Amino acid sequence: MNNMEFILSALRTHRRFGRGLLASLAMVALAFSGVLAAAGTSQAATQEPCDIYAADGTPCVAAHSTTRALFAAYNGALYQVERSSDSTFKDIGVLSAGGAANAATQDSFCAGTTCTITRIYDQTGDGNTLLYQGPGGTGGDDTAATATSEAVTVDGTKAYSLFINPGNSYWVDGSAVPTGSSPEGEYMVTSGTHVNNGCCFDYGNTETTHTAGGAGAMDAINFGTECWFGGCSGTGPWVQADLEAGLFSGGSTSWNPSQVAQTSHFVTAMLKNNGTTAMALKGANAQSGSLTTLYSGALPSGYDPMVKQGAIILGSGGDCCQTNTNKSEGTFYEGAMVKGYPSDATDAAVQANIAAAGYATPPTGELHAVGAGKCLDVNGMSTTAGTQMQIWSCNGGANQIWTHTASNQLTVYSGSSLMCLDASGQGTTNGTKAIIWSCNGQTNQQWTLNANGTVTGVQSGLCLDVSGGGSTDGTLVQLWTCNGQSNQQWSLG
């Protein structure tokens, strides 16, 4: 293994290194590829994707995320939510410069009602903030996506994705975005578990007119199961290039026999296009591992040179959504567009940074009362605050599916019905009722899942307890001094 291979191998190791060391390795890797400035140039101690691109001379001209900062120094808002109960807005920022989203701010603001994501802020300062393509946004037929459809963790911290369903999409008339045949690179982190074959889940360069502009007018990453040219191998989803009037790569063996499906929950998708002769597509599991080159070669016939228009799309094709409604679905966590054609070493360093960010799904499933052989259950599917918990025969219903969040909450249901397991009245004495209540971030709604099988309240230190050691359906659940008995043993999943 040579020096460069060793460095990139280290970079790809998921969450093994501290972020400062990881950033330093990334810079050394770029130095070996010849893309750093002259020796002695000062560099930031910590780097995020757009810092890595800048070191390659391919600066970000747009950077969007609902989960984290894409610059080490970024300390502004990531996105905006609108609350349905009173139509007020709230910006959701980061916990610290270069850090993860402050999801607790959203949870507090949206408690007891629904929220939508109305804009995704551009972190570059170029003003490329995305607005939804509908009334109140950029105009058109689409609507804003629900803000609470999917919670994930990044660096161990709770965050929310932009969960696009048919009829949701975002757009901005770009500033400083490459146009015509200028070279460009893009990446996004998406999901292989929330896709369809509707046109078109895109992120990238699109028409300024919202209408199809002909071959080469777009230069966007597409992720979906569309098989544009036929003869596809498998069912996808695939990383593709939407260049307008064609989705290239895909699973079509007649156009690209090297393409493979990307089915992991978190997927890194990359596209770079020099605008005149060549493009490349890459994909990877965004949680670990290295990039796979899915296509590297000539631009399709009729697309050389490109004629990009310089607007930015997210969640739809370029001719949506002034006269029609977007039909695609997909998930967006983060992404950026850069000026220039990034090197392969830079692509690898960005993937390593994404993997080190620690994207994960919170533990979710039935919370089994081990001693009783039953499940923690919300009586009658109730969503009424104050309903006391019970045990019931496990049935996989929504009232028995719990998620242990990065904030140590145990949540049940979702969206506007989201509720938290709660120590009634902030009680800290034996017999305190375990109830559901609107999530509020207080310590009586925080729970530790211990290695010995107990679930303890952060505020009280008491154990979640099946009353009287009962095992019949309807036995109530309370808090009690931990005693090691089987009626205080629980298992999530």
Side-chain angles (χ1 to χ4, degrees):
M1 179 180 292
N2 62 32
N3 289 337
M4 184 62 176
E5 289 170 336
F6 172 79
I7 292 163
L8 291 179
S9 175
L11 283 166
R12 292 168 186 141
T13 303
H14 175 46
R15 296 184 62 79
R16 183 174 177 181
F17 296 98
R19 296 181 70 171
L21 177 56
L22 183 66
S24 299
L25 287 170
M27 292 307 301
V28 176
L30 290 174
F32 272 93
S33 67
V35 297
L36 283 182
T41 300
S42 175
Q43 300 291 343
T46 301
Q47 290 197 315
E48 301 301 350
C50 285
D51 304 305
I52 295 169
Y53 280 120
D56 189 15
T58 55
C60 289
V61 293
H64 304 103
S65 178
T66 61
T67 60
R68 65 174 184 142
L70 301 183
F71 291 87
Y74 188 75
N75 199 25
L78 297 179
Y79 61 101
Q80 179 192 80
V81 295
E82 181 180 11
R83 188 165 59 190
S84 63
S85 59
D86 57 5
S87 299
T88 57
F89 298 90
K90 184 73 172 178
D91 286 347
I92 308 302
V94 292
L95 292 168
S96 60
N102 189 346
T105 301
Q106 177 181 312
D107 287 338
S108 176
F109 181 74
C110 300
T113 186
T114 58
C115 277
T116 55
I117 295 177
T118 48
R119 59 181 63 198
I120 305 99
Y121 290 106
D122 177 20
Q123 300 179 30
T124 68
D126 286 322
N128 291 315
T129 292
L130 293 161
L131 279 70
Y132 69 94
Q133 293 194 94
T138 62
D141 299 330
D142 271 8
T143 58
T146 300
T148 54
S149 294
E150 185 194 32
V152 298
T153 58
V154 182
D155 282 334
T157 301
K158 180 181 180 181
Y160 288 100
S161 71
L162 179 65
F163 199 82
I164 299 283
N165 284 316
N168 306 142
S169 65
Y170 297 77
W171 180 91
V172 66
D173 191 355
S175 171
V177 177
T179 57
S181 61
S182 298
E184 178 178 61
E186 303 162 345
Y187 88 91
M188 72 170 168
V189 178
T190 183
S191 177
T193 64
H194 177 229
V195 295
N196 70 358
N197 64 358
C199 184
C200 296
F201 185 70
D202 292 346
Y203 174 66
N205 202 314
T206 190
E207 290 93 344
T208 58
T209 59
H210 296 282
T211 57
M218 292 184 66
D219 183 31
I221 303 169
N222 173 270
F223 191 71
T225 60
E226 306 98 317
C227 180
W228 190 270
F229 295 106
C232 290
S233 175
T235 58
W238 300 289
V239 179
Q240 308 188 87
D242 190 344
L243 306 182
E244 192 56 273
L247 295 178
F248 292 92
S249 197
S252 176
T253 55
S254 62
W255 197 83
N256 180 37
S258 300
Q259 178 67 297
V260 293
Q262 305 292 319
T263 59
S264 56
H265 188 101
F266 300 99
V267 174
T268 303
M270 285 187 179
L271 166 65
K272 54 186 180 183
N273 186 329
N274 74 2
T276 55
T277 60
M279 73 174 190
L281 285 162
K282 299 180 181 183
N285 183 332
Q287 292 179 294
S288 63
S290 57
L291 290 162
T292 297
T293 298
L294 306 169
Y295 177 81
S296 181
L299 288 173
S301 177
Y303 291 82
D304 48 350
M306 297 288 291
V307 289
K308 300 185 296 289
Q309 294 187 15
I312 304 173
I313 200 75
L314 173 54
S316 74
D319 56 354
C320 180
C321 293
Q322 303 302 301
T323 58
N324 62 86
T325 300
N326 174 41
K327 298 177 177 61
S328 68
E329 67 181 43
T331 309
F332 182 84
Y333 304 101
E334 64 176 81
M337 301 168 62
V338 308
K339 181 170 61 177
Y341 197 82
S343 68
D344 290 339
T346 293
D347 295 340
V350 170
Q351 164 61 10
N353 176 278
I354 293 167
Y359 276 101
T361 54
T364 299
E366 295 171 328
L367 189 57
H368 298 269
V370 176
K374 301 291 175 71
C375 280
L376 186 68
D377 177 282
V378 183
N379 185 20
M381 299 283 290
S382 174
T383 57
T384 301
T387 300
Q388 186 172 0
M389 297 301 92
Q390 61 181 12
I391 58 169
W392 200 269
S393 298
C394 301
N395 54 38
N399 62 326
Q400 293 186 353
I401 302 300
W402 298 86
T403 298
H404 189 234
T405 74
S407 304
N408 287 323
Q409 296 167 319
L410 277 166
T411 63
V412 66
Y413 307 131
S414 61
S416 61
S417 299
L418 183 73
M419 304 291 281
C420 275
L421 185 67
D422 179 288
S424 180
Q426 298 188 340
T428 58
T429 58
N430 286 343
T432 297
K433 296 178 180 179
I435 63 173
I436 56 168
W437 199 268
S438 297
C439 299
N440 54 36
Q442 296 179 359
T443 54
N444 66 314
Q445 293 187 351
Q446 296 176 11
W447 306 89
T448 302
L449 276 58
N450 301 296
N452 65 3
T454 59
V455 177
T456 52
V458 169
Q459 181 185 56
S460 67
L462 301 177
C463 274
L464 197 64
D465 176 285
V466 179
S467 180
S471 60
T472 60
D473 286 348
T475 301
L476 297 176
V477 176
Q478 60 185 1
L479 299 185
W480 202 268
T481 301
C482 300
N483 55 35
Q485 295 181 9
S486 63
N487 65 319
Q488 295 183 350
Q489 299 292 305
W490 302 86
S491 174
L492 180 63

